[in-house]
Amino acid sequence: MPINNTPRQYTVGSMFAGIGGICLGFKQVGFDVVWANEKDAAACRTYRHNFGDEYLVEANIKKVNKQTIPQFDVLTAGFPCQPFSVAGPHKGFEDARGNLFFQIIEVAKIAQPKVIFLENVANLIDHDNGRTFITMFNALSELDYVLRYQNLPANEYGNSPQTRNRTYVVAFKDETLATKFKYPEPIELTTGSDVERFSKLVQTVDADVRVFGMDENGDPWEMSAKSLFCSLILAAKIQHRPHTAHDVDWNTIWCECKEDIYSLIR
């Protein structure tokens, strides 16, 4: 699907939009996000701060009137991964969150997207000896979608300092497009440590980008994205230490990280 020199801008609808990570990627390459849904209040507050409030629907997708959803070219969904993760109890469709996949099917019936883009944990394909993914595959096939899917380490495609293997599914209404589609080739990571790469990445973040959330007592908090990333730099240093967090020599960690952090907040 070309995105340059086209007579119109391709449109996107986003389910389980979170704070807008997938939406941002599509926006950056020229797509127009016309509808998004997320139920978490703090995530929605962050989304609105960074993207505006024109099209975001804050609600449980099960309670959204599907007839009010517009048509769009691409449907994206980073649907809940906990039921399929190797780190969880592996309940799959027996977990209420796992069944949210079928909301994607319901939205697709209404919006009639030409392409569906799904992202989930690497274990999605193998969960329950493959039966879970076969169910998803068949549900999309019944809507006449042709699927391409692959496990990819995200850090090899975005110059990210975090190793994060994920399953990426791209489903096409047009079989010709599906045949032509190819996953991108890995890119070479920049030299330097994880912290150095992260520092360079964070320098590209707009100073006005904010992140909102709630603490364990339910009290709201907010901070700049850069401040949050600075905390993650410290965490990255600790993660590569042989000792536990209780034994961390914070003075040493700070001395190693302070120049990276200062460079972000200057």
Side-chain angles (χ1 to χ4, degrees):
M1 181 181 292
I3 59 173
N4 295 316
N5 301 319
T6 55
R8 68 177 181 85
Q9 195 174 23
Y10 287 105
T11 54
V12 174
S14 177
M15 298 178 66
F16 315 106
I19 64 172
I22 292 177
C23 293
L24 177 61
F26 275 87
K27 283 174 176 284
Q28 287 177 332
V29 292
F31 286 76
D32 181 24
V33 180
V34 296
W35 178 84
N37 169 244
E38 171 57 48
K39 76 168 187 175
D40 184 84
C44 286
R45 187 180 176 195
T46 303
Y47 192 106
R48 290 190 184 98
H49 180 89
N50 296 323
F51 298 106
D53 193 26
E54 182 179 352
Y55 54 80
L56 178 66
V57 177
E58 181 177 344
N60 185 325
I61 186 61
K62 290 183 177 181
K63 298 180 180 180
V64 172
N65 181 354
K66 306 298 192 295
Q67 298 300 322
T68 65
I69 298 174
Q71 291 193 343
F72 34 74
D73 298 305
V74 180
L75 172 61
T76 71
F79 56 106
C81 64
Q82 297 92 335
F84 315 110
S85 173
V86 293
H90 308 175
K91 288 186 177 181
F93 294 134
E94 294 179 4
D95 187 317
R97 295 168 297 182
N99 277 312
L100 289 174
F101 166 79
F102 298 104
Q103 291 295 316
I104 298 172
I105 300 300
E106 295 305 310
V107 171
K109 290 177 181 178
I110 297 296
Q112 294 292 308
K114 299 177 178 65
V115 178
I116 298 177
F117 171 75
L118 307 178
E119 176 269 338
N120 209 277
V121 291
N123 190 56
L124 180 68
I125 295 174
D126 296 325
H127 181 268
D128 194 19
N129 294 316
R131 287 186 284 268
T132 295
F133 191 72
I134 289 173
T135 298
M136 295 178 177
F137 187 103
N138 290 341
L140 289 165
S141 296
E142 288 173 5
L143 297 183
D144 297 323
Y145 285 97
V146 180
L147 275 67
R148 297 289 179 264
Y149 57 92
Q150 191 168 335
N151 281 338
L152 298 171
N155 57 302
E156 294 183 4
Y157 298 87
N159 202 27
S160 167
Q162 183 184 40
T163 301
R164 201 168 183 83
N165 292 321
R166 284 293 183 269
T167 298
Y168 298 95
V169 179
V170 188
F172 298 87
K173 274 285 191 181
D174 187 327
E175 186 173 358
T176 301
L177 284 178
T179 302
K180 292 180 178 179
F181 175 77
K182 293 182 180 179
Y183 282 90
E185 294 295 324
I187 64 172
E188 184 178 357
L189 292 174
T190 56
T191 58
S193 68
D194 285 352
V195 170
E196 289 170 339
R197 284 202 295 271
F198 200 30
S199 298
K200 292 177 182 178
L201 176 66
V202 176
Q203 287 177 19
T204 67
V205 176
D206 191 302
D208 293 331
V209 174
R210 311 291 293 176
V211 178
F212 302 88
M214 290 188 181
D215 63 22
E216 58 187 12
N217 298 318
D219 295 322
W221 57 263
E222 78 171 86
M223 66 171 67
S224 72
K226 287 198 174 187
S227 296
L228 177 61
F229 289 151
C230 288
S231 300
L232 294 176
I233 287 176
L234 288 170
K237 272 289 187 183
I238 296 167
Q239 185 178 0
H240 289 88
R241 296 264 162 181
H243 43 58
T244 66
H246 299 291
D247 302 320
V248 168
D249 181 350
W250 286 101
N251 186 60
T252 300
I253 294 290
W254 171 248
C255 289
E256 292 177 358
C257 294
K258 64 181 180 181
E259 288 306 316
D260 294 315
I261 292 177
Y262 286 155
S263 68
L264 302 181
I265 60 180
R266 284 181 181 133

